[in-house]
Amino acid sequence: MSSTVIVGAQWGDEGKGKVVDLLAERSDVVIRFQGGNNAGHTIVRDGEEFKFHLIPSGILYEGKTCAIGNGVVIDPGVLIGEIEGLRRRGIDVSGLRVSANAHLIMPYHIMLDTAGEAKLGKLEIGTTKRGIGPAYTDKAARLGIRVQDMLDPKILRKKIFAAMEPKRQLLRPFERDPRLDLHAITEEYLGYGHRLEPHIADTARICWDALDTGKSVLFEGAQATLLDLDHGTYPFVTSSNPVAGAACVGAGVGPTDIDEVWGVAKAYTTRVGAGPFTTELFDEVGTHLRDKGNEFGTTTGRERRCGWLDVVGLRYAARLNGLSALAITKLDVLAGLDPIRVAVRYRSSEGAVLSEFPYHQTVLHGATPEYEELPGFSEDIGECRSEADLPQAARDYLDFVERQAGVPINLVGVGPGREQIVWRGDSSPSA
Ligand code: GDP
Ligand code: IMO
Ligand code: MG
């Protein structure tokens, strides 16, 4: 396992944090490559819960090099809060490195995110209102402020002025907001720079040094394939590229540096925010999934929309990311549902059979799922640790999903705990 990318294969919250935490044990470097604190990655270790928004999920291993790559947008106040929170819980954060080239989320980005959503009204995207979209917009417009700028008072002030100037009109409703005072922002961010300085580094070089000396690097994705700015359900997407290809850009390595790509998917589907969701359920099965799966957002606390597994979307994610393996999480949540349904194709509003994920937004919006039914299981599987421990119906379900997705399932989640996993095939670290 020299270098592996972990991506979400659905609409996010698949359990990437838990999978990264597991694989981090046998990796030398863990690096986040995109997104920001719109992400919420939960890890449960010895019954203790940790929620990460920016810091890579490998940080719970003492001294592990955990990097925030250049492709991430960083709210430095949130990052410092996260560092302090971990320190208070006795976690060693000395291995944390922050790319000097990563872009910063500024107070005006958060205001613009909120104002933009309000303006869209009923058409809102349902963003996390963390300023992610406006920060990436400034990056592309070459008006972004980078981590390294916090170390130079003159440059910082000039850049903030230049970035705010074209936004005057849009920021008019916040004109008197003290958070928008140029001097105050500059001072605030210089303070952040001072505190983060020991962690600021050339994170691409950290990856190269590891790869060039035969060490292993784990690339931690946030959000997911169907939220990808280019390939997801646009405009109901995030403003970065969560697909595996973006690991190269967002961490600073080449495609030939990547050995494996693991996609994480739930045994069903969830989505937070607006946008098409073909297998969404509004009945008691949806309620079962939400309640048993505790489907409430890690970042915003919003109720997640729930539905059956959609292998049309999963096949799309497999191809788009070049998945070499799948991790299926939350299989335990399906216990008690009989039959279990899996969407294997869609039907368009004109009646056409769609076996591929439609590229046209209107077609996707009008599509309805066609299901295959599989027998359910009622046993609590939270204590299962090998495939042989699982009920036959659960094993049949995994075989079915594996065949449909065309990608081997290496890992199965049977509960939130770090130990609540079943390795399949010869993927186990002890195999
Ligand atoms: P991420 O954003 O992809 O890292 O996922 P989140 O952490 O936002 O959401 C996944 C939730 O499911 C978290 O609360 C995890 O603790 C929990 N979880 C992960 N794997 C499993 C599993 O196999 N079973 C159950 N019941 N919960 C899980
Ligand atoms: P993790 O890493 C689930 C969704 C938001 C919204 C859309 C755009 O925990 O899987 P943004 O704030 O990014 O501009 O919002 O994307 N979204 C997520 N949904 N999990 C996430 O992250 C998400 N990050 C953003 O709900 O629909
Ligand atoms: Mg999450």
Side-chain angles (χ1 to χ4, degrees), residues 266-269 308-311 328-331 334 340-342 372 374-377 391-404 409 424:
K266 284 180 196 178
Y268 49 98
T269 311
W308 291 115
L309 183 68
D310 175 359
V311 290
I328 298 290
T329 60
K330 299 194 136 180
L331 185 62
L334 294 185
I340 298 172
R341 296 198 168 94
V342 179
E372 287 223 7
L374 287 94
F377 56 95
Q392 188 61 46
R395 278 188 276 164
D396 290 346
Y397 179 78
L398 293 171
D399 289 342
F400 180 80
V401 174
E402 186 170 78
R403 263 199 320 277
Q404 286 284 330
I409 298 173
R424 276 174 103 242

Side-chain angles (χ1 to χ4, degrees), residues 31 70 203-204 207-208 211 217 219 245 247-258:
I31 182 162
N70 56 276
T203 52
C207 293
W208 305 337
L211 293 167
V217 179
F219 300 86
C248 295
V249 181
V253 301
T256 50
D257 287 316
I258 310 289

Side-chain angles (χ1 to χ4, degrees), residues 13-18 40-42 298 304 330 332 413-416:
D13 303 323
E14 296 91 346
K16 297 175 291 293
K18 173 171 163 172
H41 299 171
T42 312
T298 307
R304 295 176 183 147
K330 299 194 136 180
D332 52 302
V414 294

Side-chain angles (χ1 to χ4, degrees), residues 23-42:
L23 298 187
E25 192 172 6
R26 35 174 166 149
S27 310
D28 298 288
V29 175
V30 184
I31 182 162
R32 270 273 310 260
F33 59 87
Q34 46 68 234
N37 59 315
N38 47 349
H41 299 171
T42 312

Side-chain angles (χ1 to χ4, degrees), residues 8 10-12 16 32-40 71-73 105 113 117 125-137 221-243 246 271-275 299 302:
Q10 297 163 317
W11 276 290
K16 297 175 291 293
R32 270 273 310 260
F33 59 87
Q34 46 68 234
N37 59 315
N38 47 349
V72 176
V73 286
I105 294 180
D113 196 351
E117 284 283 89
I125 293 156
T127 74
T128 58
K129 299 197 172 87
R130 300 299 192 264
I132 307 295
Y136 278 115
T137 303
Q223 289 81 52
T225 306
L226 297 176
L227 287 173
D228 186 273
L229 182 59
D230 287 76
H231 301 284
T233 50
Y234 193 90
F236 302 102
V237 293
T238 191
S239 298
S240 69
N241 291 110
V243 294
R271 169 161 211 177
V272 203
T299 300
R302 286 179 290 176

Side-chain angles (χ1 to χ4, degrees), residues 7-8 12-20 38-44 49-52 57 220-224 264 266 268 270 292-299 304 328-333 412-417 420-421:
V7 291
D13 303 323
E14 296 91 346
K16 297 175 291 293
K18 173 171 163 172
V19 173
V20 168
N38 47 349
H41 299 171
T42 312
I43 294 170
V44 182
E49 195 173 71
F50 294 87
K51 290 178 191 288
F52 298 109
S57 304
E220 174 176 356
Q223 289 81 52
V264 187
K266 284 180 196 178
Y268 49 98
T270 64
K292 195 150 185 240
N294 191 23
E295 295 298 352
F296 297 89
T298 307
T299 300
R304 295 176 183 147
I328 298 290
T329 60
K330 299 194 136 180
L331 185 62
D332 52 302
V333 176
V412 181
V414 294
Q420 289 183 291
I421 43 161

Side-chain angles (χ1 to χ4, degrees), residues 62-316:
E62 200 167 344
K64 181 87 59 192
T65 302
C66 285
I68 300 179
N70 56 276
V72 176
V73 286
I74 300 175
D75 183 327
V78 171
L79 177 57
I80 289 167
E82 215 166 301
I83 293 172
E84 282 173 354
L86 285 172
R87 278 210 187 108
R88 273 197 300 276
R89 293 172 78 173
I91 307 294
D92 170 20
V93 291
S94 60
L96 178 68
R97 296 290 174 271
V98 180
S99 169
N101 287 348
H103 281 247
L104 296 172
I105 294 180
M106 308 299 290
Y108 43 85
H109 291 142
I110 299 170
M111 292 173 191
L112 290 173
D113 196 351
T114 306
E117 284 283 89
K119 218 173 224 165
L120 283 171
K122 275 213 295 229
L123 298 175
E124 69 164 13
I125 293 156
T127 74
T128 58
K129 299 197 172 87
R130 300 299 192 264
I132 307 295
Y136 278 115
T137 303
D138 267 358
K139 176 177 176 176
R142 288 149 303 175
L143 286 172
I145 317 288
R146 297 192 292 173
V147 165
Q148 55 184 280
D149 299 327
M150 292 191 294
L151 304 177
D152 187 326
K154 261 202 203 133
I155 284 186
L156 182 65
R157 195 184 161 88
K158 266 195 202 147
K159 287 195 173 177
I160 297 176
F161 179 78
M164 283 175 69
E165 210 35 43
K167 300 181 182 62
R168 288 269 163 235
Q169 183 84 17
L170 290 167
L171 289 170
R172 190 146 294 156
F174 307 96
E175 222 164 24
R176 284 180 220 293
D177 194 314
R179 286 172 301 167
L180 283 189
D181 177 72
L182 177 63
H183 179 72
I185 303 182
T186 310
E187 287 305 306
E188 181 188 350
Y189 278 68
L190 284 173
Y192 293 147
H194 182 68
R195 292 177 72 179
L196 289 173
E197 196 167 1
H199 298 284
I200 298 174
D202 180 353
T203 52
R205 191 164 294 280
I206 291 173
C207 293
W208 305 337
D209 289 347
L211 293 167
D212 294 346
T213 52
K215 291 184 175 158
S216 63
V217 179
L218 190 59
F219 300 86
E220 174 176 356
Q223 289 81 52
T225 306
L226 297 176
L227 287 173
D228 186 273
L229 182 59
D230 287 76
H231 301 284
T233 50
Y234 193 90
F236 302 102
V237 293
T238 191
S239 298
S240 69
N241 291 110
V243 294
C248 295
V249 181
V253 301
T256 50
D257 287 316
I258 310 289
D259 299 305
E260 287 187 46
V261 181
W262 287 35
V264 187
K266 284 180 196 178
Y268 49 98
T269 311
T270 64
R271 169 161 211 177
V272 203
F277 179 178
T278 314
T279 62
E280 184 168 15
L281 295 168
F282 301 96
D283 58 6
E284 66 282 3
V285 176
T287 310
H288 169 110
L289 295 172
R290 195 184 56 235
D291 293 348
K292 195 150 185 240
N294 191 23
E295 295 298 352
F296 297 89
T298 307
T299 300
T300 58
R302 286 179 290 176
E303 225 173 65
R304 295 176 183 147
R305 301 157 64 193
C306 297
W308 291 115
L309 183 68
D310 175 359
V311 290
V312 181
L314 210 49
R315 282 195 293 263
Y316 177 65

